[in-house]
Amino acid sequence: MAEHTSSSITIEAAPAEVMGVIADFDRYPEWTGEVKEAEVLAKDDHGRAEQVRLLLDAGAIKDDHTLAYTWTGANEVSWSLVKSQMLRALDGSYRLAALGGGRTEVTYQLTVDVKIPMLGMIKRKAEKVIIDRALAGLKKRVESGHDGPETPADEAKKL
C-alpha cells in the first residue's frame, strides 16, 4: 500500500454535527477554499453521496475529478479516485471519535499520487498541506454553526 499522511483535530461539536458538514458536498465551495464546484453524481439507499465530481483549484494544481465514497457507520467516510485529469490516486478518509462533552476528534488520512513525476517527500508535504487546510476549514465551519455562505454582516459580528 502507498504511504499516506494523517492528522487529527478536536472540534467543539458532536460527531453527527461534524459528519453533517462533511457530507454536505454542495456547500464545499463555501468553506474549503480549493473546491470551486461540487456535484453529487450518485447517492446510496440512505441518500448519502456515492460519487461526487469536484472542480479543484489549489494554485499550481487545478483538476476536475470524481471520487467514490464509502460510508462506514455514522462516524467514518472514505473515498477513492474514479477519474481525474492530473491525479493517479486520491484515497482518503475522515474518522470521527466522540470525546465527550460535545467534542469530536476528527482524523483525516490522505494518499495522493499525481500523473507527473514528483518526489515522495514533496507528495507527503502536499498531502500535509491539504489535510491541515481541510481540518482547519472543517473546524471553523462546524464551530461557527454557520449554515450558509459567509456574508460581510457575518464577518462584522465576529469583530
Side-chain angles (χ1 to χ4, degrees):
M1 185 174 157
E3 287 184 48
H4 66 268
T5 303
S6 180
S7 191
S8 298
I9 195 166
T10 299
I11 296 179
E12 301 294 326
E17 189 177 347
V18 176
M19 189 56 80
V21 171
I22 291 169
D24 189 1
F25 293 100
D26 292 336
R27 293 217 164 139
Y28 273 36
E30 296 173 11
W31 64 270
T32 62
E34 290 83 14
V35 176
K36 300 305 177 192
E37 289 179 29
E39 177 187 7
V40 175
L41 303 175
K43 293 184 179 186
D44 67 12
D45 295 338
H46 301 287
R48 299 174 299 195
E50 274 187 325
Q51 282 206 358
V52 179
R53 183 188 142 269
L54 299 163
L55 183 61
L56 183 75
D57 184 350
I61 298 178
K62 292 175 178 37
D63 193 31
D64 187 343
H65 59 266
T66 301
L67 301 176
Y69 286 82
T70 303
W71 303 85
T72 306
N75 292 334
E76 183 177 341
V77 61
S78 58
W79 57 89
S80 59
L81 188 66
V82 174
K83 67 179 181 177
S84 169
Q85 297 171 343
M86 288 191 68
L87 304 172
R88 195 176 289 128
L90 180 64
D91 301 321
S93 66
Y94 280 113
R95 288 186 182 89
L96 282 51
L99 298 176
R103 295 170 46 232
T104 302
E105 180 182 60
V106 180
T107 301
Y108 185 170
Q109 182 175 302
L110 186 66
T111 303
V112 178
D113 194 11
V114 292
K115 291 180 180 176
I116 58 171
M118 187 181 288
L119 292 173
M121 180 178 73
I122 295 171
K123 274 193 266 192
R124 298 295 85 73
K125 182 161 177 57
E127 288 171 355
K128 179 78 171 132
V129 168
I130 292 167
I131 288 171
D132 289 348
R133 283 187 186 160
L135 288 174
L138 178 62
K139 179 178 176 72
K140 181 178 179 184
R141 181 69 174 200
V142 172
E143 290 180 356
S144 74
H146 196 71
D147 212 25
E150 287 283 319
T151 66
D154 294 325
E155 289 298 319
K157 288 178 193 172
K158 294 177 192 173
L159 300 176

